[in-house]
Amino acid sequence: MCGIVGIYRFKSQRPVQPSEIDIMCRTMSYRGPDGQGIYCDGALGFGHLRLSIIDTHARSNQPMHTTDQQQVIIYNGELYNYVELREQLQQQGEHFVTQSDTEVLLKSWQTQGVDCLSQLNGMFAFAIWDKQQQSLTLARDHTGIKPLYYALTPEGLVFASEIKAILTQLPQRPTPNVRLLDAFMSLGYCPGEETFFTGIYRLRPGHILTVSSTHCQQKAYWDLKFSSNIDLGEAVYLQQTRDLLQDSVRLQLRSDVPLGVFLSGGVDSSAVVATMRQLGVPEINTFSINWDYGKKFSEAPYAQQVAQMFNTRHHEFTMNAQNFCDFLPQYVRYMDEPVTEAAAISLFYIAKQAREHVTVVLSGEGADEVFGGYSIYRFMAWLDTYRCLPKGMRQHLLDPILQKLHPTLRKYSLLSQLPLNERYLGVSLQERSSVMALYSQEFLPIALENGVRTLTMPYYAKVLGATAQQQMQYLDVKTWLVDDLLIKADRMTMANSLELRVPFLDHRWLDFAGRLPSRYRLKNGEPKYLLKKSLEGILPKSLLYRRKMGFPTPVSALLKGPLNSVMFDSLNGGRLRQQGYFKWDVVEKMLQEHTQGVAEHHRILWPLMVLEQWFMAYQ
């Protein structure tokens, strides 16, 4: 796990200076406390920050060259199957001078080129310079576990693991990408290839970008595909689930430094701990978070139960309001873009504690996307059933009754009038009417033209003919997972020089999910049915089938209490108010109503606070 930066002035051919690369590296030095390396070759410059995990010896430092010095690599991530790939290459006559996965990746590329990507099992973002061809290749792992950003400049291209490094090489600070503002207010993050900085892009998961003096081309090497036309039966899929869980965790235990587990007490992280014990790991360090806001915001008892069951060395950090308030400005700076994932702040603190004991942690991210674990999938399935009723019956009899009974029933009644690709825009979707009511008359046309639906529609277009659940799963893997959950996980752990591994996002899980008939994800109303069934006898049913909590954070209470004065001061006297995006009288009314407990507006006010902090940090 590391950080990478680079400049390629393929247009101007102006030489890159080591000092320019050094400046980029310094913006995110926490990503690689164990060493820094710089390589310059005319118009090309590479920088690498190293967090040593595999072969911690200096011989494995980067940038790393091929024996003939014609190819150079910088690489962030881990290849979990590097041992097997190394053996294959040795059988083909290749010789190695290190024990690192970096050398394995470099030799794989040298011998096979882009075709080697199909053999890689891991998380990675890397850049390879071909000196003879004067060609630069950037690549990102299958599901986007590791980040990689780039910007095209008048002279060429700049790239880095984090946006803040790219900013040092741009002629001026990029303006806010207002085309993404409606998506941010609706989802809490900015999905897709564009970022909130105009002109700075994400290299998409499963893609490579090739740059030479004559062209700049991006193409996919992997995608989530559905082909569940054949049902092999529940027993077969249960065994495949057990086998894959064992093998993905086994591979991700490879490390030359101490490792542990983020344990929430939920099914996914508990499954990782149980599997580690089955694999014979003698001593397991587990880490969990506990809010001091009562049982509603604490999964600590469940984490403690699992820790006791598998006899782990358990560490628990108790969050309080002061922790949250103190870290908020730093949170936005670490994230680079505005992201409203409040649980990320808790993650920072538990990662900080974990780093005192280990250098690598495993977690359960990704299982919900693989196995359909979100409750909203059930609601969308119910709506499809409801839509099968005669239209006249729904419009004239049932809808009016539902809309009078309860706000939630009203919401779903209105959603039932829309097809799936218009009503399901992601797990974290904010109610559209609340968001649209915020926009000023000047900004409203921009929001309507560049609304969140314009960003989600292309994903639905790629899975036409798939089941409703598969379509939602595809959208979430391509947006919510990569641009919210994984980016939060990467930033908060790397801010503490801690490597995070996610066994459920071994890309074989996604290939498995593509073959798995939908009925094994959600069966008899039970989300993640197949995973839970496979763990019976290993984990207690009281844990497997309890209600999902999902790392809760008391944002509403914080905005009424400890964060209240900060919220008022920052929003009323801050930079955001000057931009003209929002009707400020509506914002002020929400501030008052939320503070007085008249109405619940934290799902609007919290994004506005994060956005204000972003303007303060980056504009």
Side-chain angles (χ1 to χ4, degrees), residues 368-486:
D368 285 315
E369 283 69 29
V370 171
F371 290 101
Y374 297 116
S375 59
I376 194 170
Y377 290 173
R378 283 182 293 173
F379 295 130
M380 292 297 149
W382 293 342
L383 290 184
D384 277 344
T385 301
Y386 182 68
R387 282 172 60 86
C388 291
L389 296 174
K391 186 175 181 180
M393 179 190 296
R394 286 188 282 116
Q395 287 184 342
H396 302 300
L397 177 61
L398 299 178
D399 285 348
I401 295 174
L402 292 174
Q403 292 176 25
K404 290 178 181 179
L405 289 176
H406 192 275
T408 301
L409 292 175
R410 178 180 183 276
K411 171 185 174 181
Y412 283 105
S413 171
L414 295 173
L415 283 174
S416 72
Q417 300 171 22
L418 302 172
L420 181 68
N421 62 2
E422 292 184 32
R423 72 171 184 266
Y424 184 75
L425 307 178
V427 174
S428 59
L429 182 66
Q430 170 67 284
E431 188 175 336
R432 295 294 295 148
S433 59
S434 301
V435 175
M436 298 304 289
L438 277 176
Y439 297 141
S440 66
Q441 289 301 114
E442 295 76 19
F443 182 71
L444 186 59
I446 299 175
L448 290 172
E449 183 179 353
N450 303 283
V452 62
R453 287 191 177 97
T454 64
L455 297 177
T456 57
M457 284 296 182
Y459 297 107
Y460 279 108
K462 288 191 174 184
V463 284
L464 290 174
T467 68
Q469 190 179 85
Q470 289 170 337
Q471 291 179 58
M472 291 186 287
Q473 182 182 18
Y474 186 85
L475 177 66
D476 288 334
V477 166
K478 296 296 182 178
T479 58
W480 160 255
L481 175 66
V482 64
D483 297 325
D484 185 297
L485 298 184
L486 291 177

Side-chain angles (χ1 to χ4, degrees), residues 289-344:
I289 200 81
N290 179 33
W291 265 95
D292 64 354
Y293 266 69
K295 294 181 179 179
K296 183 179 178 181
F297 298 99
S298 175
E299 289 189 287
Y302 304 107
Q304 292 165 5
Q305 178 187 1
V306 175
Q308 291 171 6
M309 184 182 309
F310 295 103
N311 193 28
T312 74
R313 292 183 60 190
H314 192 56
H315 312 265
E316 187 174 291
F317 182 84
T318 299
M319 276 287 293
N320 57 46
Q322 195 61 51
N323 298 141
F324 192 94
C325 297
D326 289 347
F327 186 63
L328 180 56
Q330 291 174 270
Y331 163 68
V332 174
R333 292 190 187 96
Y334 278 126
M335 292 297 293
D336 287 340
E337 293 189 85
V339 179
T340 63
E341 188 62 56

Side-chain angles (χ1 to χ4, degrees), residues 7 80 106 114 234-235 242 271 284 321 371 379 384 428 499 506 557 565:
I7 303 171
Y80 302 124
L106 182 57
V114 69
E234 184 172 312
R242 296 187 185 103
I284 303 174
F371 290 101
F379 295 130
D384 277 344
S428 59
E499 173 172 296
D506 178 320
S565 60

Side-chain angles (χ1 to χ4, degrees), residues 243-261:
D243 292 344
L244 190 47
L245 180 57
Q246 286 260 333
D247 200 52
S248 59
V249 173
R250 177 187 65 84
L251 288 176
Q252 297 196 24
L253 291 176
R254 288 174 170 171
S255 171
D256 293 333
V257 295
L259 52 77
V261 184

Side-chain angles (χ1 to χ4, degrees), residues 71-241:
Q71 292 179 317
V72 186
I73 188 172
I74 49 175
Y75 156 54
N76 168 29
E78 301 290 349
L79 283 190
Y80 302 124
N81 65 335
Y82 77 98
V83 174
E84 291 79 7
L85 292 176
R86 177 191 177 97
E87 291 174 352
Q88 292 176 18
L89 289 165
Q90 286 175 325
Q91 291 172 5
Q92 296 167 15
E94 296 293 332
H95 300 281
F96 290 81
V97 296
T98 76
Q99 297 297 316
S100 70
D101 58 334
T102 306
E103 188 179 13
V104 172
L105 175 56
L106 182 57
K107 285 189 178 293
S108 294
W109 185 271
Q110 185 182 24
T111 57
Q112 301 176 61
V114 69
D115 291 340
C116 79
L117 293 171
S118 64
Q119 299 181 37
L120 305 184
N121 183 323
M123 54 180 183
F124 54 83
F126 65 80
I128 290 183
W129 171 242
D130 189 311
K131 190 169 185 175
Q132 183 176 4
Q133 299 294 325
Q134 293 289 288
S135 174
L136 169 68
T137 301
L138 305 180
R140 192 175 179 196
D141 66 66
H142 304 72
T143 50
I145 303 168
K146 290 292 96 192
L148 189 56
Y149 300 89
Y150 69 94
L152 296 173
T153 70
E155 294 191 90
L157 177 138
V158 182
F159 68 89
S161 297
E162 297 186 14
I163 291 174
K164 58 178 66 69
I166 293 175
L167 296 177
T168 67
Q169 299 303 310
L170 300 183
Q172 60 188 21
R173 183 59 58 94
T175 58
N177 188 350
V178 295
R179 295 177 63 252
L180 296 181
L181 184 57
D182 181 61
F184 169 73
M185 290 303 300
S186 301
L187 300 173
Y189 63 95
C190 301
E193 187 175 15
E194 295 185 36
T195 72
F196 208 66
F197 293 88
T198 300
I200 298 181
Y201 301 89
R202 304 177 182 96
L203 181 60
R204 289 175 288 175
H207 279 70
I208 62 169
L209 177 66
T210 306
V211 185
S212 71
S213 59
T214 59
H215 74 279
C216 183
Q217 182 180 15
Q218 185 174 168
K219 66 177 182 180
Y221 68 85
W222 181 89
D223 198 3
L224 169 59
K225 296 180 179 179
F226 297 104
S227 58
S228 52
N229 297 322
I230 301 174
D231 188 338
L232 299 178
E234 184 172 312
V236 171
Y237 295 120
L238 278 171
Q239 190 58 51
Q240 290 179 354
T241 298

